[in-house]
Amino acid sequence: MIELNKILVGVDPLQARHDSFLPPVMEAIRQAVWLAEPTSSEITFMSALDSSESTQAAAAALDKLVEQAKARGVAATSKVVPGNGWMALAREAIDGHYDLVFVGTRDLGPLHRVLFGSTAKMLVHHCPTAVWVTKPEPHPTPANVLVASDFTEVSDKALRLALRIGLSRGSRVHLIHVFKSPFALLSDADEAEARGERVLHEQDRAEARRRLDEQFARVAGDAGLTNVSIADVTYLADDAIAKYIETHHIDLLAVGSSARHGVEGVIPGNTAERLLTTVNCSLLVVKPDDFVCPVPLL
C-alpha cells in the first residue's frame, strides 16, 4: 500500500484575511488535515515569499495552522522560504521526500477560470510528487473518489493512492476506463458493415472490461470499495469522465500521468489540459516513479 507519511500544504500568504485564509487555501488545509488524521501523516505548512512580503506575518499565520492541526492530533510543522511559489514547493517536495502536495487556487471563482497560470497548474505539470488540487469553494470532504485508468502502471499507482484514501477515511472509490467506440461513428454506414462493426466493438469492449476487472483485482484485492465501469465515447474521453463525475457525485478525480517530462500524457486522448479546466471536483495527479521535473528548480 502507498504510504502517506509526509504531506506538504502550499499556503499562499496573499490569501490571508484577518486571522484566517480565503476559502481556496482553507480548503487545501482542511482536506490535508482530514487525510492526515487517520493516516498519522505529518503535515508541513509552507509559504514561499518574494522580497516584498512579510516573513514575520507569514510565519505567524502558519504557526496558527500548526497549533490547530496539533489540536486535532496531527503532527505539523511550518516553513517560510524565499522564492517563486510553485518552484519552492516542488523543490521542497523533492528534497523533503514528501508523499503528497496539497494546493488550492488563487481565486474564488470556478476552477476553469483560475487554474491556468497558477501555482496549481505548474505543480501539476512539473512536480514529481502527487499533487492534490482542491476545489476552490468549500465542499464536503471526499465521499466518492474516481480513478481514470488507461491500464498503465501509473494508473495502478493512482488506484493504490485512491484506495489508501478510501480505506483511511471511508470514501468510496470508483474505477473507470473510457473506451473509444468507432461503431458509434457508423450511423451512415451500410447495415451489414454496421453489424460487423458492432460485433467487433462488443468484443473490444468486453476485452477492455476484462482488463479493468483484472487491474482492480490485482491492485485492490478484496478492498470492496470500488465501482468498476466502462464508458463509451466517440471522441473526447473527458466528456465521459465529466458525465460520470456529475452523475455519481464525485468529489475527487485521480489520474495518472504517463508522461516522464511534463504532464501531456495524463490519461488517454491527452485530456489532462481539458480536465484541469473543466472538472467540477478536486483533482489528484499521480506521476510515474521515474518522472523528471522538466525545469531546473535551483
Side-chain angles (χ1 to χ4, degrees):
M1 179 177 292
I2 288 181
E3 294 298 324
L4 289 172
N5 297 316
K6 298 181 68 177
I7 294 174
L8 181 64
V9 183
V11 179
D12 184 353
L14 295 179
Q15 293 203 46
R17 182 176 59 185
H18 304 300
D19 293 330
S20 184
F21 291 90
L22 295 178
V25 174
M26 289 306 301
E27 187 63 24
I29 294 166
R30 185 168 69 87
Q31 292 200 18
V33 173
W34 169 84
L35 183 60
E37 283 182 295
T39 59
S40 300
S41 304
E42 178 181 349
I43 292 179
T44 297
F45 298 105
M46 178 173 161
S47 291
L49 307 179
D50 63 32
S51 58
S52 65
E53 295 169 313
S54 171
T55 300
Q56 185 175 2
L62 295 187
D63 286 343
K64 290 183 180 180
L65 296 179
V66 170
E67 293 174 4
Q68 292 167 5
K70 288 182 175 179
R72 294 178 59 173
V74 175
T77 58
S78 64
K79 180 176 289 191
V80 179
V81 301
N84 175 282
W86 79 264
M87 286 188 177
L89 285 167
R91 183 165 54 245
E92 175 69 15
I94 295 169
D95 294 343
H97 304 287
Y98 287 84
D99 303 299
L100 185 58
V101 179
F102 275 84
V103 65
T105 55
R106 192 179 274 272
D107 191 283
L108 295 178
L111 184 62
H112 67 269
R113 291 211 307 261
V114 300
L115 185 57
F116 274 82
S118 69
T119 295
K121 176 205 169 182
M122 300 306 289
L123 284 172
V124 164
H125 273 263
H126 301 309
C127 183
T129 306
V131 177
W132 183 324
V133 182
T134 57
K135 188 178 178 181
E137 61 270 12
H139 65 287
T141 50
N144 287 283
V145 181
L146 174 62
V147 181
S149 172
D150 60 356
F151 308 128
T152 59
E153 290 183 7
V154 73
S155 65
D156 282 2
K157 187 177 178 181
L159 179 56
R160 289 190 185 96
L161 182 53
L163 288 167
R164 181 74 174 96
I165 295 166
L167 287 170
S168 65
R169 297 284 1 194
S171 304
R172 187 168 185 82
V173 180
H174 305 245
L175 179 64
I176 189 172
H177 172 72
V178 179
F179 176 70
K180 290 193 174 181
S181 171
F183 171 73
L185 301 175
L186 292 175
S187 57
D188 297 327
D190 175 81
E191 183 179 352
E193 180 182 0
R195 285 199 300 268
E197 291 292 341
R198 183 183 296 112
V199 171
L200 292 175
H201 164 73
E202 292 301 330
Q203 291 174 344
D204 291 343
R205 192 179 192 281
E207 173 61 14
R209 179 56 191 250
R210 184 198 66 77
R211 294 182 65 189
L212 195 64
D213 288 339
E214 189 276 332
Q215 182 182 38
F216 170 55
R218 182 182 69 255
V219 175
D222 58 355
L225 293 170
T226 305
N227 289 338
V228 182
S229 302
I230 293 285
D232 292 293
V233 296
T234 59
Y235 180 50
L236 293 179
D238 48 323
D239 291 343
I241 292 171
K243 182 177 180 180
Y244 192 98
I245 287 171
E246 180 180 357
T247 58
H248 291 81
H249 308 290
I250 299 299
D251 306 298
L252 174 65
L253 170 64
V255 296
S257 166
S258 61
R260 266 56 185 174
H261 298 270
V263 74
E264 292 81 7
V266 168
I267 75 175
N270 294 326
T271 61
E273 297 286 352
R274 293 182 298 271
L275 285 172
L276 284 172
T277 58
T278 58
V279 293
N280 189 31
C281 66
S282 296
L283 180 68
L284 174 61
V285 178
V286 179
K287 311 300 197 319
D289 291 336
D290 59 352
F291 182 94
V292 177
C293 182
V295 298
L297 299 175
L298 297 178

